[in-house]
Amino acid sequence: NDTVEIGPGNLKLIYSGKGELTQYINSRSLVKASVEQSYSYYAGYNGSKDKQASGAYIFRPNGTYSINSEGQDFFTVLRGPLLDEVHQRISSWIYQITRVYKGKEHAEVEFTVGPIPIKDGIGKEVVTKITTTVKNNKKFYTDSSGRDFIERVRDYRKDWELQVNQPIAGNYYPINLGLYMQDNSSEFSILVDRSVGGSSIVDGQLELMLHRRLLFDDSRGVGEALNETVCVLEDCRGLTIVGKYFLRIDPLREGAKWRRSYGQEIYSPLLLAFAEQDGDSWA
Amino acid sequence: RTNTDSLADALAIAQHHDAVSGTSKQHVANDYAKRLAIGYAEAEEVVGESLSCIAESASNGGCMSPTNKFQQCLLLNISYCPPSEVDLSNGKSLVVVIYNSLGWKREDVIRIPVINENVAVKDAGGKEIESQLLPLLKASVGIRDYYSKAYLSMASNVTPKYWLAFTASLPPLGFNTYIISSSSSTAKRAASTSSQLYDTKASQ
């Protein structure tokens, strides 16, 4: 029943005794917010009733399925002077490490997803959802190829009257740098280290599509299903991807500086080079 | 002379809309990846020579022919870094040069896989700085083992057990040097014994 607090600096993440993220607290900016995180997948449409299947071009989800975390049995906390880490096994093919650094005021989440299982004959598009209490009233903001953040309004286009046929796919946007939402007191931002899909399907929630594996061609020109495999010595498996996203909650109008400066640091990571030397001759 | 022509070619080809959006056939995606890897490996040599030159320039007051051979770790995403996975118990030191390509000062936590747990990190002035050891995630080791089958000739014999973390401080558009060597005291081990709250079944 105990809660678990991680973070050696100003930022603390609070987990429930079941290993679920529950709170985000920044003692410097006085931000205290409820946060939840989960994984789910959208089943790829197989094109059986009409001919348009989900594929590389076409996102046409056929149901949303939760991937339940394996809970406290697969939850390990590591603490140290520079950073704290939470290791979680979400399922047999999804792992996650959440890091909170002493000198940083954002949380870093490293996800390992794959090989996406397809023995059930269903293609899957795997997403993570982060839920807060931010009252964004259908509005969220996504970057435009790393440039300006553009306002998006769920189920609405300012240039034409939108007929909503695909309530999820119709609100998805490409994310290259990040996305955020805000209400009258706070901003909730996520930055990514790679191009992904993203949206806000319900108020207070941001989601990222991290990986996908589909079994049908969408007949839009690729000519094969988006079913990437990796073969090592004739041992072929679906692709496993490893990536990071970074989340932060700021008081209103204080998030832009972090999104711009840290976004640049994600894009231009420090370059490491190694050399071996004997004894103390390194000087 | 080393150059970056293959990297330029690979980057030019990867501007195709299928490469950008991920709508190519798999064999084409494999070709993009291969060309980028060739370009990266080529650029690694150029960067290694440049770093040797600027590092010597800083210590000797002039850029002579580079004497230090610098290597990078292109497969750190699968926890594979042969240059850092060296046995430091025999008196050798691992020199890490870190370059900041942005125009502002940065402080960041660096993480590299190591096989020794008795290690210390010193800055360029020889002063020991705070470091931390973290265990490798089991999943990472599994992925590394899978891919290392393809790189058997490169694979080191010992799988690293830890990430060594330390804070690097970098000037704008500049570099800093850190030295990792064996130590009588163990780097702080992320208090993994005292705060592993649950006996994880994953470890089985």
Side-chain angles (χ1 to χ4, degrees):
Chain A
N1 293 326
D2 292 339
T3 58
V4 180
E5 179 183 288
I6 70 152
N10 291 333
L11 175 63
K12 308 284 182 199
L13 296 183
I14 312 294
Y15 288 79
S16 73
K18 293 177 181 173
E20 296 159 338
L21 178 62
T22 58
Q23 272 200 311
Y24 175 108
I25 300 170
N26 185 327
S27 57
R28 183 197 58 81
S29 64
L30 304 179
V31 166
K32 187 174 181 182
S34 296
V35 184
E36 292 173 14
Q37 192 226 356
S38 64
Y39 281 87
S40 53
Y41 69 83
Y42 297 115
Y45 186 60
N46 61 11
S48 59
K49 285 186 182 168
D50 61 55
K51 287 186 178 174
Q52 185 57 68
S54 291
Y57 287 101
I58 304 293
F59 177 30
R60 210 167 187 223
N62 187 23
T64 309
Y65 299 89
S66 297
I67 300 168
N68 293 325
S69 171
E70 298 191 345
Q72 68 178 45
D73 289 344
F74 295 92
F75 180 85
T76 306
V77 178
L78 301 157
R79 295 178 203 276
L82 303 178
L83 71 151
D84 288 353
E85 282 191 351
V86 174
H87 291 211
Q88 288 171 281
R89 188 177 113 145
I90 309 299
S91 74
S92 60
W93 50 280
I94 302 178
Y95 297 83
Q96 176 176 287
I97 303 175
T98 305
R99 301 190 179 97
V100 181
Y101 295 93
K102 186 180 180 185
K104 309 276 183 192
E105 295 188 2
H106 61 259
E108 171 186 305
V109 181
E110 181 177 315
F111 49 86
T112 302
V113 182
I116 296 175
I118 50 167
K119 279 185 180 168
D120 55 6
I122 297 170
K124 297 171 183 69
E125 307 192 76
V126 180
V127 298
T128 185
K129 299 177 182 180
I130 299 101
T131 308
T132 65
T133 52
V134 175
K135 297 174 182 67
N136 62 310
N137 193 24
K138 294 189 176 183
K139 282 185 186 172
F140 60 106
Y141 301 80
T142 68
D143 71 278
S144 47
S145 297
R147 277 82 172 187
D148 205 8
F149 281 86
I150 293 176
E151 182 182 283
R152 316 294 189 180
V153 181
R154 192 164 60 248
D155 297 334
Y156 174 78
R157 303 290 186 275
K158 71 175 179 183
D159 295 328
W160 74 92
E161 197 163 318
L162 178 71
Q163 185 185 342
V164 180
N165 294 313
Q166 287 285 333
I168 294 163
N171 290 301
Y172 249 72
Y173 291 89
I175 310 296
N176 298 287
L177 167 61
L179 71 173
Y180 73 95
M181 61 170 56
Q182 62 187 34
D183 60 16
N184 55 14
S185 64
S186 62
E187 289 175 41
F188 166 41
S189 312
I190 297 180
L191 298 181
V192 296
D193 75 338
R194 67 205 40 237
S195 297
V196 295
S199 186
S200 172
I201 300 297
V202 296
D203 278 356
Q205 186 181 79
L206 292 176
E207 72 176 61
L208 297 174
M209 183 180 290
L210 305 177
H211 192 14
R212 53 193 194 136
R213 190 179 188 189
L214 298 164
L215 304 179
F216 297 92
D217 177 28
D218 57 17
S219 306
R220 298 289 170 143
V222 184
E224 66 183 24
L226 183 67
N227 182 4
E228 286 175 284
T229 54
V230 173
C231 298
V232 175
L233 303 176
E234 298 182 3
D235 173 12
C236 292
R237 302 176 182 183
L239 200 64
T240 297
I241 54 100
V242 184
K244 288 178 188 170
Y245 66 86
F246 307 85
L247 63 92
R248 175 169 167 135
I249 303 175
D250 287 290
L252 184 63
R253 285 186 282 277
E254 290 181 20
K257 184 184 176 189
W258 176 74
R259 288 193 293 271
R260 280 292 151 205
S261 57
Y262 198 68
Q264 200 66 42
E265 294 184 15
I266 295 167
Y267 183 73
S268 303
L270 297 172
L271 179 83
L272 302 182
F274 301 90
E276 198 178 314
Q277 291 204 349
D278 292 321
D280 284 332
S281 62
W282 55 268
Chain B
R1 291 178 66 86
T2 55
N3 61 64
T4 56
D5 292 350
S6 299
L7 182 63
D9 290 346
L11 287 172
I13 291 166
Q15 304 304 311
H16 188 277
H17 62 256
D18 281 351
V20 173
S21 61
T23 50
S24 67
K25 286 197 175 189
Q26 177 150 14
H27 76 92
V28 179
N30 292 344
D31 190 62
Y32 291 141
K34 185 174 182 177
R35 286 170 191 270
L36 285 165
I38 291 167
Y40 203 142
E42 180 192 62
E44 182 192 1
E45 280 195 47
V46 180
V47 172
E49 282 186 13
S50 305
L51 287 175
S52 300
C53 197
I54 60 172
E56 287 203 13
S57 175
S59 59
N60 300 332
C63 180
M64 314 296 281
S65 59
T67 52
N68 296 314
K69 176 76 175 164
F70 281 105
Q71 297 177 74
Q72 292 176 43
C73 285
L74 308 189
L75 296 170
L76 258 185
N77 62 332
I78 58 165
S79 325
Y80 185 79
C81 182
S84 77
E85 294 165 20
V86 291
D87 186 3
L88 299 173
S89 61
N90 55 10
K92 290 197 170 182
S93 299
L94 177 67
V95 181
V96 188
V97 169
I98 306 173
Y99 180 73
N100 171 22
S101 61
L102 293 180
W104 59 77
K105 184 179 183 298
R106 286 166 78 177
E107 277 196 3
D108 225 337
V109 173
I110 303 297
R111 291 187 309 127
I112 55 173
V114 293
I115 57 173
N116 301 94
E117 61 181 79
N118 298 318
V119 288
V121 183
K122 291 177 182 170
D123 64 17
K127 184 184 167 199
E128 186 169 336
I129 61 168
E130 195 166 44
S131 60
Q132 179 179 343
L133 283 175
L134 296 139
L136 253 70
L137 183 65
K138 298 280 178 195
S140 304
V141 176
I143 294 167
R144 176 200 157 99
D145 288 349
Y146 175 69
Y147 286 103
S148 69
K149 288 179 199 166
Y151 303 102
L152 280 176
S153 60
M154 291 161 53
S156 54
N157 295 327
V158 188
T159 302
K161 290 179 187 166
Y162 306 103
W163 289 103
L164 173 65
F166 60 94
T167 304
S169 182
L170 286 308
L173 291 167
F175 72 98
N176 211 339
T177 310
Y178 293 87
I179 296 86
I180 300 166
S181 52
S182 67
S183 162
S184 52
S185 63
T186 308
K188 290 184 184 64
R189 243 215 252 176
S192 54
T193 48
S194 61
S195 60
Q196 186 167 334
L197 298 179
Y198 304 105
D199 182 19
T200 167
K201 286 180 186 167
S203 65
Q204 296 170 0

